[in-house]
């Protein structure tokens, strides 16, 4: 059976040259602990520091501003809890958007339980945060603003530079969860003027278990994982050397191949966005029509449920998602779609096709061929489908 | 040049069959996100659940009691902060020992800053915690006791079952940091009657980036990494599938090979402990003479500094440590040795030889041959050395 993987946002495959870079640090001689003073440790440490340079280069940061973590979720917890924990005594207010990832949302909720106040800024029908709404949400007690750079659920890319600028006018720290952005669109921390930024290797052909947090030099952050002196005393735990080396290699690849990957993905994305509503009735394209990730096409399909579509597509060899993998099994309507004003029933029919670099135009043709009859069949079984009701 | 790796406690090499088990989840087809509902995700999920069974088996737990993490340090943070966070409102007191790992010590300090009270129980000259001292430290407001099972710095193994029993008599939760123990000595959570226990793959030939926390069924714990619904909603972040699979394989290997490894390591350990003081003057064996890890020999060498010894041994191809790798670069005297009553100057000369399964009697002979002249030369350069002063 033909198969096509359209679930970039859940996890990209490991790039063969990333695996090749990792292997010497998995088996063989290079198994040392980077904190060991002997040669085996020194070799591991050197590999970690080279990877740090590569990750820093990708986002135009300094290596000393990069802290390795185990995932995007850990990076987001570290940022929200660590930056809030370092806020001056007279600040206890945080501003986030209604479309943050669960790891930011729930970190903010944990802080609320500890006495912090959190304001959630709304988004428009395209999932865009209005920078002026952020300005209005900031009070004299605001210490931190956190706005996601790009949504894995609807693909929308935010006006981060504008929002960061407003935060700095008010002398408020600005963090962006850039997990779905870094490696896929150009991200320059100096140009954007962000104080902290999270990223994850699985979004750009790097290994699972790899993530990083950028914290601008001079900005205070409290450690999240307490313990040893790794990562300059800010993130304890023996460094996951192979994952870090793989992240570094993936970052270097992304830097050279990003525009090639985008140039290939955008026509496929646009074909999916253009043709899906032509082939199936009652399909809503979600997210912003232009300000969106190059590899991301998302829809709400009326009168069908996301899970049923995924499983039926899977039977045809097509891997897709209905939004964030982090909540897929919860089978709840996406908080992002609801915040965009999509009604609850329609939000249940969420579907995301996210393109990896191996995808071809034939994959897209195949998808567009098998997709309509699946939807038609599912609708015929749905008591809510008007055609069904009319009978 | 001959070389010999005597730094088990910093990191064990990856077992070849562990790497073999991991490879299908690194490159190739099995790169799916376990939370994805399509086949690629399901295959990854199944691998994660098989690994969970293997890890549970190793410590006689149920799979549903195992939460995967990225390291022993993360597991310890999760345990201390998560169990404290779930303590009833009328409890705010925690008891730890003076020999806990930094990830427990500093987690407890973080809790102190949030208003919790922490009591540190002393240890004796062998590094043993007196169970009666734990009993005395418990007050009506105590909600949690945390005692390390085995010390990577001095090798001492604690009377965990007795201490856990005392905690349960007083209706207090008991957690043990078993990172240096699990995979190396038999650990049975039912027999020991512990409520929570941490472990790490790098202590038994598993991959970096792999750790787990056991939490007894029915015991409440607050998530540490907030976010998605992974690990039954208790630990967010895309599962590091290859590391988890590797941890599972390492656990299965440890179960079948632990006694073979110990039978091989113990004579080497005992030879090191017996002969080192015969070949070099003014050598103190640290830790308990009998209640110690099978692969662990530790010393304090008078009139020399740990770092100088490590670097000189490294030049002879021997990898060793002066205690915890997590603080090696801090070059401070070990808090464990100081708590055991070792004086500050002597504690600076700490040296640990920890045996891996590849080590042979020839490795030990080589070590015992090159070791004395190194110490002699370093002492001749030390102004504190009496022989030097007499001249």
């Amino acid at each position: 059976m033909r198969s096509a993987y359209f679930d970039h946002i859940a996890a990209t495959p490991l790039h063969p040259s990333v695996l090749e870079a990792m292997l010497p640090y998995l088996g063989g001689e290079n198994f040392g602990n980077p904190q060991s003073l002997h040669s085996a440790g020194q070799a591991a440490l050197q590999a970690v520091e080279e990877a740090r340079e590569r990750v820093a280069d990708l986002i135009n940061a300094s290596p000393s501003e990069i802290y390795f973590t185990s995932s995007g979720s850990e990076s987001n917890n570290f940022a929200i809890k660590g930056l809030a924990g370092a806020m001056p005594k007279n600040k206890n207010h945080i501003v986030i958007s209604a479309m943050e990832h669960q790891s930011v949302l729930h970190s903010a909720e944990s802080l609320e339980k500890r006495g912090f106040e959190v304001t959630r800024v709304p988004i428009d029908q395209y999932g865009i945060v209005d920078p002026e709404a952020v300005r209005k949400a900031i009070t004299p007690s605001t210490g931190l603003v956190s706005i996601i750079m790009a949504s894995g659920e609807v693909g929308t890319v935010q006006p981060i530079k504008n929002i960061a600028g407003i935060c700095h006018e008010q002398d408020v720290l600005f963090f962006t969860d850039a997990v779905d952005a870094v490696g896929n669109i150009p991200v320059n921390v100096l140009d954007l003027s962000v104080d902290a930024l999270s990223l994850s290797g699985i979004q750009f052909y790097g290994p699972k278990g790899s993530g990083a947090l950028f914290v601008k030099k001079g900005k205070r952050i409290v450690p999240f994982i307490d313990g040893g002196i790794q990562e300059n005393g800010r993130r304890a735990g023996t460094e996951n050397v192979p994952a870090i080396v793989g992240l570094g290699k993936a970052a270097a690849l992304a830097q050279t191949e990003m525009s090639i990957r985008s140039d290939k993905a955008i026509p496929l994305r646009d074909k999916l966005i253009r043709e899906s509503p032509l082939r199936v009735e009652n399909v809503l394209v979600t997210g912003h029509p232009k300000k969106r990730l190059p590899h991301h096409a998302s829809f709400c399909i009326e009168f069908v449920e996301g899970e049923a579509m995924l499983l039926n597509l899977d039977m045809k060899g097509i891997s897709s998602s209905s939004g964030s993998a982090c909540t897929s099994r919860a089978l709840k309507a996406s908080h992002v779609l609801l915040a965009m004003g999509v009604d609850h029933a329609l939000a249940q029919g969420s579907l995301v096709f996210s393109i990896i670099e191996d995808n071809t135009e034939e994959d897209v043709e195949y998808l567009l061929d098998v997709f309509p009859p699946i939807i038609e069949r599912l609708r015929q079984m749905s008591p809510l489908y008007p055609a069904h009701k009319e009978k």
Side-chain angles (χ1 to χ4, degrees), chain A residues 14-28 30-31 47 54 205-210 240-250:
Chain A
L14 197 61
H15 196 286
S17 62
V18 171
L19 177 58
E20 197 183 337
M22 292 170 70
L23 280 175
Y25 299 92
L26 282 162
N30 296 321
F31 65 85
R54 289 171 154 195
Y205 310 98
K208 292 190 180 64
S210 72
N240 186 350
V241 181
I244 289 169
V245 167
L247 180 63
K249 180 66 184 176

Side-chain angles (χ1 to χ4, degrees), chain A residues 307-317 374 377-378:
Chain A
E307 190 188 3
M309 287 189 283
L310 298 192
L311 298 179
N312 278 275
L313 284 164
D314 187 44
M315 284 189 269
K316 295 287 182 184
I374 286 173
R377 191 158 45 79
L378 289 172

Side-chain angles (χ1 to χ4, degrees), chain A residues 311-326:
Chain A
L311 298 179
N312 278 275
L313 284 164
D314 187 44
M315 284 189 269
K316 295 287 182 184
I318 291 167
S319 301
S320 59
S321 76
S322 64
S324 170
C326 295

Side-chain angles (χ1 to χ4, degrees), chain A residues 54-275:
Chain A
R54 289 171 154 195
V55 172
D57 275 354
L58 178 62
I59 57 171
N60 198 25
S62 294
S64 64
E65 296 172 320
I66 302 295
Y67 301 94
F68 290 119
T69 69
S70 68
S71 68
S73 289
E74 187 195 324
S75 296
N76 287 342
N77 275 257
F78 185 7
I80 298 292
K81 296 172 183 173
L83 294 169
M87 270 159 41
K89 289 280 176 217
N90 61 334
K91 308 258 185 186
N92 77 330
H93 179 235
I94 295 166
V95 176
I96 66 174
S97 83
M99 81 180 328
E100 299 303 301
H101 184 260
Q102 293 78 15
S103 52
V104 169
L105 285 177
H106 295 167
S107 290
E109 284 166 15
S110 287
L111 290 175
E112 276 181 318
K113 286 180 194 153
R114 286 199 230 155
F116 287 84
E117 283 180 34
V118 179
T119 297
R120 291 156 184 85
V121 172
I123 50 178
D124 72 10
Q125 59 177 318
Y126 301 114
I128 295 273
V129 174
D130 178 2
E132 290 307 314
V134 174
R135 189 196 300 276
K136 281 179 199 151
I138 292 173
T139 72
S141 65
T142 308
L144 175 65
V145 171
S146 165
I147 308 289
I148 190 168
M149 185 176 290
S151 167
E153 300 202 39
V154 296
T156 303
V157 178
Q158 301 296 339
I160 291 299
K161 189 172 178 173
N162 290 359
I163 299 171
I166 286 167
C167 293
H168 292 140
E169 281 172 26
Q170 320 274 325
D171 203 22
V172 172
L173 277 183
F174 180 70
F175 163 69
T176 182
D177 164 6
V179 163
D180 283 292
V182 169
N184 294 296
I185 58 174
V187 172
N188 180 328
V189 293
L190 275 185
D191 178 55
L192 294 172
S193 190
V194 299
D195 298 305
L197 174 149
S198 60
L199 61 90
S200 166
I202 59 167
Q203 287 303 318
F204 52 98
Y205 310 98
K208 292 190 180 64
S210 72
L213 182 67
F214 156 81
V215 181
K216 193 174 177 178
K217 200 173 175 177
K219 301 299 173 185
R220 290 190 60 225
I221 187 163
V222 170
F224 173 60
I225 301 186
D226 288 311
I229 59 170
Q230 294 92 352
E231 300 297 295
N232 208 16
R234 286 188 173 174
R235 199 272 187 178
T238 298
E239 297 90 338
N240 186 350
V241 181
I244 289 169
V245 167
L247 180 63
K249 180 66 184 176
L253 280 171
Q255 209 164 5
T256 55
E257 298 189 10
M258 190 185 299
S259 62
I260 302 165
R261 289 174 185 167
S262 288
D263 288 349
K264 214 185 132 198
I266 288 169
L268 304 184
R269 173 196 72 181
D270 290 346
K271 188 180 171 84
L272 281 167
I273 288 178
R274 193 175 57 244
E275 299 204 9

Side-chain angles (χ1 to χ4, degrees), chain A residues 303-382:
Chain A
F303 313 119
V304 281
E305 289 222 316
E307 190 188 3
M309 287 189 283
L310 298 192
L311 298 179
N312 278 275
L313 284 164
D314 187 44
M315 284 189 269
K316 295 287 182 184
I318 291 167
S319 301
S320 59
S321 76
S322 64
S324 170
C326 295
T327 50
S328 63
R329 285 169 206 288
L331 301 177
K332 289 198 296 189
S334 154
H335 68 282
V336 172
L337 292 170
L338 298 179
M340 285 163 62
V342 175
D343 82 56
H344 200 280
L346 183 55
Q348 298 277 2
S350 169
L351 193 59
V352 180
F353 298 125
S354 47
I355 295 153
I356 60 168
E357 61 176 345
D358 290 345
N359 290 138
T360 61
E361 191 159 347
E362 289 70 40
D363 289 343
V364 170
E365 290 288 356
Y366 175 62
L367 169 55
L368 287 169
D369 283 344
V370 302
F371 180 45
I374 286 173
I375 302 302
E376 186 56 30
R377 191 158 45 79
L378 289 172
R379 282 178 174 169
Q380 290 304 335
M381 293 189 293
S382 165

